[in-house]
Every structure is written in C-alpha cells, then in structure tokens.
Amino acid sequence: MSACCANETQPTVASSDTCPLCGSRGVRVEPVTLKALLVSDALRRGIPPAPPRFCATPECSVVYFDSAVGATFTEADVSVPVYSKQKSAPDVPVCYCFEITRRMVRAEAERGGGRNPRRAESIAK
Ligand SMILES: [Zn+2]
C-alpha cells in the first residue's frame, strides 16, 4: 500500500490541555507564573513539573491546572484577582506588570486618551 492510501489519524488534544472543570483548552504558562502568583498554601501542594495551563473561562473557578497530574488551582489559590474571571470588577488588573486596572483604562478612555491622535503618536514613538 502506498503512503497516499495510509489511514491517517488526526492528532488528538492531550487530556492535560483541557480544563478538568469546564473542558476548555487551556493556554500553557510557565511554572514560574504559578510560583509568583499562588498563595503559600497552594504552593505547599506543589507546582506541576510540566508547564501548567491557564483556564480563561469566566464562569469556571479553575485558574491553573495540569490534568495529567490532577493538579488544579482556583481563584482562592491565586494572590491577585484574575482578569478573565472577573469581567465587571473595576479594580482587577488588566496589566499585572504595571498594575493598570480596568478602572484606569476606562478613566483614560473617558478623557479621550484612547482616541487622541497626538497621544497615539507619542505612544507609537
Ligand atoms: Zn475551566
């Protein structure tokens, strides 16, 4: 049989890619992210050896997981509010590096900062 007639199998999504609670595919994050953001009780449970996944589903309480080893971390295990889990909270960080919150972005937009061409030019430089 030639290779063109071979029964090709579709690649399957590894079970560790999907959130054990909501079934959404999680985005891979570096373990250092968990080391920086988990509360001490959650850190004591241990960080998965492989890069864990982030679940962005707003209605799901799981934030980080590794289904392969059965590890899950919820919002209660994280030391900061999680943007994608709290869609309407004004003081949830949009940018964790610079501590920019949703309220700060809205205030800037109300001042016209987001639509000001001069400001856009200064940012682009
Ligand atoms: Zn989930």
mmCIF file of all heavy atoms in Angstrom, residues 19 21-24 55 57 60 62 85, ligand 1:
data_model
loop_
_atom_site.group_PDB
_atom_site.id
_atom_site.type_symbol
_atom_site.label_atom_id
_atom_site.label_comp_id
_atom_site.label_asym_id
_atom_site.label_seq_id
_atom_site.Cartn_x
_atom_site.Cartn_y
_atom_site.Cartn_z
ATOM 1 N N CYS A 19 -9.266 21.904 30.584
ATOM 2 C CA CYS A 19 -9.610 22.165 31.986
ATOM 3 C C CYS A 19 -10.481 21.027 32.517
ATOM 4 O O CYS A 19 -11.482 20.669 31.889
ATOM 5 C CB CYS A 19 -10.347 23.495 32.089
ATOM 6 S SG CYS A 19 -10.966 23.854 33.750
ATOM 7 N N LEU A 21 -12.554 21.062 34.845
ATOM 8 C CA LEU A 21 -13.872 21.505 35.301
ATOM 9 C C LEU A 21 -14.779 21.918 34.149
ATOM 10 O O LEU A 21 -15.926 21.483 34.063
ATOM 11 C CB LEU A 21 -13.723 22.664 36.292
ATOM 12 C CG LEU A 21 -14.988 23.079 37.028
ATOM 13 C CD1 LEU A 21 -15.577 21.915 37.819
ATOM 14 C CD2 LEU A 21 -14.698 24.242 37.963
ATOM 15 N N CYS A 22 -14.280 22.748 33.226
ATOM 16 C CA CYS A 22 -15.158 23.261 32.162
ATOM 17 C C CYS A 22 -14.863 22.654 30.792
ATOM 18 O O CYS A 22 -15.654 22.825 29.865
ATOM 19 C CB CYS A 22 -15.052 24.785 32.076
ATOM 20 S SG CYS A 22 -13.505 25.387 31.380
ATOM 21 N N GLY A 23 -13.739 21.975 30.643
ATOM 22 C CA GLY A 23 -13.418 21.321 29.384
ATOM 23 C C GLY A 23 -12.795 22.215 28.332
ATOM 24 O O GLY A 23 -12.504 21.762 27.226
ATOM 25 N N SER A 24 -12.582 23.495 28.643
ATOM 26 C CA SER A 24 -11.945 24.401 27.683
ATOM 27 C C SER A 24 -10.460 24.096 27.587
ATOM 28 O O SER A 24 -9.834 23.662 28.561
ATOM 29 C CB SER A 24 -12.119 25.849 28.114
ATOM 30 O OG SER A 24 -13.469 26.209 28.094
ATOM 31 N N CYS A 55 -6.881 28.464 32.522
ATOM 32 C CA CYS A 55 -8.254 28.411 32.027
ATOM 33 C C CYS A 55 -8.835 29.821 32.076
ATOM 34 O O CYS A 55 -8.923 30.413 33.149
ATOM 35 C CB CYS A 55 -9.117 27.466 32.869
ATOM 36 S SG CYS A 55 -10.857 27.504 32.336
ATOM 37 N N THR A 57 -11.928 30.683 31.012
ATOM 38 C CA THR A 57 -13.387 30.690 31.016
ATOM 39 C C THR A 57 -13.897 31.477 32.223
ATOM 40 O O THR A 57 -13.594 31.111 33.367
ATOM 41 C CB THR A 57 -13.928 29.246 31.079
ATOM 42 O OG1 THR A 57 -13.368 28.503 29.994
ATOM 43 C CG2 THR A 57 -15.436 29.222 30.995
ATOM 44 N N CYS A 60 -15.730 29.556 35.066
ATOM 45 C CA CYS A 60 -15.009 28.419 35.662
ATOM 46 C C CYS A 60 -14.104 28.913 36.788
ATOM 47 O O CYS A 60 -13.390 29.898 36.630
ATOM 48 C CB CYS A 60 -14.170 27.733 34.578
ATOM 49 S SG CYS A 60 -13.298 26.269 35.165
ATOM 50 N N VAL A 62 -11.565 27.300 38.060
ATOM 51 C CA VAL A 62 -10.177 26.854 37.907
ATOM 52 C C VAL A 62 -9.380 27.929 37.167
ATOM 53 O O VAL A 62 -9.817 28.435 36.136
ATOM 54 C CB VAL A 62 -10.108 25.517 37.137
ATOM 55 C CG1 VAL A 62 -8.674 25.162 36.775
ATOM 56 C CG2 VAL A 62 -10.743 24.407 37.963
ATOM 57 N N LYS A 85 -11.589 36.141 34.942
ATOM 58 C CA LYS A 85 -12.626 35.537 35.784
ATOM 59 C C LYS A 85 -13.584 36.578 36.353
ATOM 60 O O LYS A 85 -14.668 36.244 36.791
ATOM 61 C CB LYS A 85 -11.983 34.766 36.949
ATOM 62 C CG LYS A 85 -10.994 33.690 36.524
ATOM 63 C CD LYS A 85 -11.674 32.535 35.848
ATOM 64 C CE LYS A 85 -10.663 31.459 35.510
ATOM 65 N NZ LYS A 85 -11.267 30.329 34.830
HETATM 66 ZN ZN ZN B 1 -12.055 25.822 33.289
#
